[in-house]
Amino acid sequence: MKPYRSSSKSPFIGPNQPNDIVEWKMHKNFPEVTPSAGRGQVTITDVANAAGVSPSTVSYVITGKRSISVATRRRVEESIRALGYRRNGDALATRPTRIGVLAMAMPPFGGRPVSTETEFFTAASEAAGRHRFHLLLVTHDEGSPVTSTALADAVIVLAVGDDDPRVPILLASGRPAVLIGAPGKHRGLPCVELDFAPAGEDCAAHLADLGHRSIVHLGLPAAPGVRPLHDLTGFLRSSLAIASHRQVRAAFHPCTPSADSVARCLDELLVPGGPTGLVVHDEALLPLILATVERRGLRVPDDLSIVGVCSETVARNHSARLTAVVVPARELGTLAVERAVQQLDGEPVAELELIVPWFVVGDSTQGRKP
């Protein structure tokens, strides 16, 4: 699908398309189990037999009605993934009237208050209110359920990654759901994804056009169990590719958002012959980097150009308006709720919609002398 660029006024998304048919393949480490004789559809009993548990345990994993051990839950998840079990839509026809709640399942964000997440949740809450729904935030870790028939009419799942184990569970539940992220090959549910690749290209081209010949990307090191709302892998990959094409040296340098870590990073980088442009991937790093640069007597952008990847709020709330890749968090939160409500209303929803963040030139970058 061709991505559509987002603007500060309204999101541009791909046109609705009918849901794709998803074929689930057998997990390479999972024994092949043939569905019960005489039936073409995988049943909850087939899943239970494959996982070595009772059908009621499978039901508890899917609905979240009871606490199940992590080991048992994983066996059931692998069974669902391998067999491609999906709850029959007829089973949902007997559910009671809507309770007026949308659940938003979010993983740990590392305990850091960041503006992007705030904008996302605020917009989602406002959109839910317009449709007369309450928004329920459900924090979870790897072993906890992401869906419950007793809690909500639909589920919005954040920070979905490749081969995410939550996807087959959601498919099996039959619960209307919207994924925020990139579920990889395991699809079958509406997904809203941020496509950062064009912004990465624009960022690298902008700095190269200004005469910068050495650029460093600063971002958080990978942390187990902590997932951001947005994945910048595509942004970094596309930016590095354009930099290489333009004969600009570019690299990624991990840095945590603490004064000591930022000081050490800049000690390593800001040396004679070092980078003249920094691209900061994490908005919690931005104020620390700007403050440290200023304490060292360096001026932005005269001595050092800086680009931020951040929310619109952060981009605007600096003394020097930042050159930035603006994360369209508000559009993302609104669209997620809209797609969940459309499913509840029985309307067709595209399986994949892309929002492209926009690159905005501000006052924190300028040209370099040859």
Side-chain angles (χ1 to χ4, degrees):
M1 175 181 293
K2 181 181 179 181
Y4 286 68
R5 287 188 182 274
S6 175
S7 72
S8 58
K9 294 182 179 179
S10 62
F12 289 83
I13 55 176
N16 285 348
Q17 295 182 358
N19 289 336
D20 296 334
I21 298 175
V22 177
E23 178 182 356
W24 293 89
K25 297 182 179 179
M26 193 68 64
H27 192 280
K28 64 180 180 180
N29 296 322
F30 201 84
E32 182 172 356
V33 180
T34 303
S36 303
R39 296 198 306 270
Q41 183 177 352
V42 178
T43 68
I44 202 168
T45 301
D46 296 324
V47 174
N49 291 338
V53 299
S54 67
S56 61
T57 298
V58 176
S59 177
Y60 294 147
V61 169
I62 293 172
T63 63
K65 287 184 176 180
R66 289 192 183 180
S67 177
I68 302 296
S69 71
V70 173
T72 300
R73 179 178 301 282
R74 285 175 177 168
R75 290 207 311 273
V76 173
E77 289 171 352
E78 287 297 324
S79 298
I80 291 172
R81 185 196 301 272
L83 297 176
Y85 170 74
R86 188 164 187 175
R87 189 174 179 182
N88 190 328
D90 293 340
L92 296 177
T94 58
R95 74 183 301 254
T97 306
R98 293 182 190 177
I99 58 177
V101 174
L102 303 177
M104 184 170 287
M106 62 179 191
F109 287 132
R112 299 179 305 113
V114 286
S115 180
T116 296
E117 279 73 22
T118 301
E119 288 187 4
F120 175 87
F121 294 133
T122 300
S125 178
E126 291 172 352
R130 288 193 295 271
H131 290 282
R132 300 182 181 278
F133 280 92
H134 296 286
L135 191 65
L136 174 67
L137 298 185
V138 182
T139 57
H140 64 86
D141 55 29
E142 186 179 353
S144 63
V146 297
T147 177
S148 171
T149 56
L151 286 178
D153 299 296
V155 184
I156 299 169
V157 185
L158 277 63
V160 175
D162 288 343
D163 299 328
D164 197 305
R166 298 172 294 177
V167 176
I169 293 294
L170 286 164
L171 281 166
S173 74
R175 183 74 30 216
V178 178
L179 309 180
I180 307 297
K185 65 181 180 180
H186 295 303
R187 296 195 180 273
L189 293 171
C191 174
V192 182
E193 185 178 343
L194 294 173
D195 181 8
F196 279 93
E201 296 175 358
D202 291 343
C203 176
H206 170 70
L207 292 172
D209 289 342
L210 291 176
H212 293 273
R213 290 296 171 260
S214 180
I215 303 167
V216 168
H217 292 256
L218 290 170
L220 301 183
V226 177
R227 293 189 292 270
L229 179 62
H230 51 276
D231 181 10
L232 292 177
T233 303
F235 172 80
L236 179 62
R237 185 183 297 116
S238 65
S239 185
L240 294 180
I242 292 298
S244 177
H245 178 71
R246 297 290 297 271
Q247 298 182 332
V248 174
R249 288 180 295 146
F252 177 82
H253 192 95
C255 185
T256 57
S258 70
D260 290 342
S261 177
V262 168
R264 287 193 298 270
C265 286
L266 295 185
D267 282 341
E268 296 175 15
L269 297 174
L270 301 184
V271 296
T276 58
L278 298 180
V279 183
V280 185
H281 288 209
D282 183 74
E283 61 187 16
L285 277 173
L286 269 171
L288 292 170
I289 289 173
L290 291 169
T292 304
V293 167
E294 183 179 358
R295 283 197 300 270
R296 295 182 181 215
L298 299 176
R299 296 169 300 171
V300 176
D302 297 337
D303 301 312
L304 185 68
S305 288
I306 293 181
V307 177
V309 181
C310 57
S311 69
E312 187 175 3
T313 300
V314 170
R316 290 179 174 178
N317 288 349
H318 284 276
S319 55
R321 186 169 56 93
L322 285 174
T323 296
V325 175
V326 179
V327 182
R330 292 188 180 92
E331 289 88 339
L332 189 64
T334 299
L335 187 60
V337 169
E338 294 291 342
R339 295 300 175 258
V341 173
Q342 284 180 332
Q343 290 180 75
L344 291 171
D345 291 341
E347 299 178 16
V349 178
E351 184 166 310
L352 175 62
E353 295 181 87
L354 299 177
I355 299 179
V356 180
W358 59 94
F359 181 76
V360 179
V361 178
D363 302 323
S364 61
T365 54
Q366 75 172 24
R368 304 291 298 182
K369 295 181 180 179

